[in-house]
Amino acid sequence: MGLMYRFLGFMFLGFLLFCKAEGAIRYYDFVVKESNFTRLCSTKSILTVNDRFPGPEIQVNKGDTVFVNVHNQGTYGITIHWHGVKMPRNPWSDGPEYVTQCPIPAGTNFTQEINFSTEEGTLWWHAHSDWSRATVHGAIIVYTANADNGTSYPYPKPHGEQTIVIASWYKADVMEV
Ligand SMILES: *[C@@H]1O[C@H](CO)[C@@H](O)[C@H](O)[C@H]1NC(C)=O
Ligand SMILES: *[C@@H]1O[C@H](CO)[C@@H](O)[C@H](O)[C@H]1NC(C)=O
Ligand SMILES: *[C@@H]1O[C@H](CO)[C@@H](O)[C@H](O)[C@H]1NC(C)=O
Ligand SMILES: *[C@@H]1O[C@H](CO)[C@@H](O)[C@H](O)[C@H]1NC(C)=O
């Protein structure tokens, strides 16, 4: 009997690993660089990702793996943190500078690997180095797993979706602040 349970346990583990391997692999390029933006009647140069503020949206299904090639074309070292995403066995891609990884030096690139496991819903990513997060951030939308994308929400399927990112706008240079 015990052996039977152990066998079933192995089968279940194998099934879980199989399910995990089912997730899609997605690639993003994040080019971090200065760009001029006008907000609240003033124009200034801010650090952006792909010339966008807020930055590009990451869209995945639960269980997917994402590789983000971060090209740091700014002046300071930087890392990107995947806020709210568990990083099982993968902390060195999690972002907090000098805690789990060194910052990506200016003029170089580094690919961060994000394994989505149990999350569903709307999360966000942001720079995790000093004040750079003030302008370097964006949304992460985690849809349900592939098989039932859009069919198993705990509410009727919406007619449309709009992402709202709330942030502060500093008139001063955030790095000087
Ligand atoms: C922003 O605009 C200023 C003034 O026009 C210009 O000198 C600067 O090069 C621009 N910065 C970027 C990153 O385009
Ligand atoms: C999930 O389905 C929605 C609605 O059909 C679609 O807009 C979205 O791109 C899908 N998500 C992914 C990650 O494929
Ligand atoms: C993340 O997912 C990829 C693709 O499924 C896999 O090759 C890799 O081993 C996973 N990494 C971790 C730390 O689980
Ligand atoms: C840097 O980017 C190049 C080209 O986009 C890529 O081939 C290389 O793997 C990246 N290096 C790292 C460390 O991520």
Side-chain angles (χ1 to χ4, degrees):
M1 198 63 174
L3 199 67
M4 180 71 170
Y5 276 120
R6 220 176 299 168
F7 175 70
L8 285 175
F10 272 124
M11 290 290 286
F12 185 59
L13 190 68
F15 176 69
L16 286 183
L17 290 174
F18 176 75
C19 286
K20 190 170 157 35
E22 282 295 273
I25 296 185
R26 299 171 195 274
Y27 298 89
Y28 287 83
D29 276 289
F30 276 19
V31 179
V32 181
K33 65 181 175 69
E34 293 283 331
S35 187
N36 278 327
F37 269 80
T38 304
R39 291 286 189 278
L40 300 180
C41 310
S42 67
T43 302
K44 66 172 199 166
S45 178
I46 58 170
L47 200 60
T48 62
V49 169
N50 299 353
D51 281 326
R52 291 170 63 183
F53 175 69
E57 189 170 297
I58 289 181
Q59 278 199 17
V60 298
N61 290 106
K62 181 177 172 181
D64 287 356
T65 297
V66 171
F67 291 92
V68 181
N69 192 348
V70 181
H71 306 260
N72 185 1
Q73 295 178 4
T75 320
Y76 305 94
I78 203 167
T79 58
I80 310 283
H81 174 59
W82 321 99
H83 196 116
V85 182
K86 293 189 195 103
M87 295 289 269
R89 301 180 306 285
N90 200 25
W92 29 84
S93 247
D94 190 44
E97 69 169 353
Y98 302 119
V99 180
T100 62
Q101 72 183 79
C102 289
I104 302 162
T108 70
N109 70 294
F110 177 70
T111 302
Q112 292 186 235
E113 174 182 334
I114 310 113
N115 289 69
F116 288 90
S117 52
T118 59
E119 303 80 12
E120 273 180 13
T122 307
L123 303 170
W124 66 307
W125 55 264
H126 62 83
H128 210 300
S129 6
D130 293 327
W131 283 65
S132 51
R133 73 196 72 195
T135 56
V136 179
H137 57 239
I140 303 174
I141 312 290
V142 189
Y143 290 99
T144 50
N146 254 327
D148 55 355
N149 180 12
T151 62
S152 66
Y153 296 120
Y155 44 78
K157 191 173 180 187
H159 296 296
E161 295 180 43
Q162 187 70 50
T163 307
I164 297 175
V165 176
I166 297 171
S168 302
W169 175 262
Y170 293 86
K171 292 207 163 183
D173 177 337
V174 290
M175 294 312 279
E176 275 172 19
V177 170

